[in-house]
Amino acid sequence: TTVWQEGGGMQESSELRDLIFGFFKALAEGDAEFFERHVLRGDELRLIGSTSGEWFGGIEGFDLMREQAANGRGELRASADQVEAYSSGEVGWGAAVIRYSFGTDQTAAGRETFVFHLFDQTWKLVQSHTSFPVSDDEVFG
C-alpha cells in the first residue's frame, strides 16, 4: 500500500515552466511543430476552454491545437505570466496567468492549467483548461 505523504516527491520544475512559456511562444510564432513534439496525440488528451462547447479530446483536440498554432501567426498574440510548474516522476502540472489578443488592441486576461506526462524523455501535454474569470454575481446572477 502507498501512503500519501505531503509533498510526496513533488518538486518545482523549471523544465515544465519553460515548456509552458514555449506553448505561448509557439502559438504566437505559428510553430505547429512544437505542438507535434509536446502534445499527446491520443484518446487521453483533453482540452477544455471557457465556453460550454469547448471540450475537445483525442485526435480532434490535437488537430485543433495544431491548426490554431499553424494559423495563428501574425494575428494571435499570446503570453503567460506568473507561471508555476511542478513534477513528480513522470507526471507534471502547471498554471499560468495568460493574455490573448487577436490582431486588435483588446486583450483577454485569464488563467490556464496544464497536466503533462513524460513519454520517452519528452514532456507532452495531456490536459489543459483555460478560463476567463468573471465574478460570482455574473455567474449566478
Side-chain angles (χ1 to χ4, degrees):
T1 11
T2 302
V3 177
W4 172 255
Q5 215 173 7
E6 193 168 330
M10 292 182 269
Q11 58 189 5
E12 286 190 54
S13 173
S14 59
E15 182 180 9
L16 287 177
R17 188 174 183 275
D18 292 346
L19 183 60
I20 292 170
F21 280 120
F23 272 95
F24 291 94
K25 182 179 180 200
L27 272 174
E29 294 177 355
D31 181 2
E33 294 305 312
F34 181 91
F35 293 87
E36 291 278 349
R37 285 188 313 275
H38 294 292
V39 176
L40 178 69
R41 188 180 192 129
D43 292 338
E44 300 86 356
L45 175 66
R46 288 295 168 271
L47 305 173
I48 304 165
S50 59
T51 66
S52 61
E54 292 179 330
W55 184 285
F56 305 99
I59 298 302
E60 175 191 20
F62 176 86
D63 289 343
L64 175 68
M65 186 174 252
R66 191 180 187 293
E67 179 182 320
Q68 286 177 336
N71 296 331
R73 175 176 271 158
E75 288 186 32
L76 175 65
R77 288 185 307 226
S79 65
D81 298 315
Q82 300 175 23
V83 175
E84 58 185 35
Y86 300 89
S87 65
S88 180
E90 295 179 341
V91 177
W93 59 97
V97 172
I98 57 173
R99 294 190 195 335
Y100 286 110
S101 62
F102 293 89
T104 67
D105 289 335
Q106 219 174 13
T107 299
R111 301 176 281 214
E112 191 158 352
T113 59
F114 308 85
V115 179
F116 300 96
H117 192 275
L118 193 59
F119 293 94
D120 297 325
Q121 306 301 312
T122 301
W123 287 106
K124 294 198 180 246
L125 179 74
V126 296
Q127 191 269 335
S128 176
H129 178 239
T130 304
S131 66
F132 295 95
V134 296
S135 71
D136 287 346
D137 289 340
E138 290 180 67
V139 173
F140 298 108

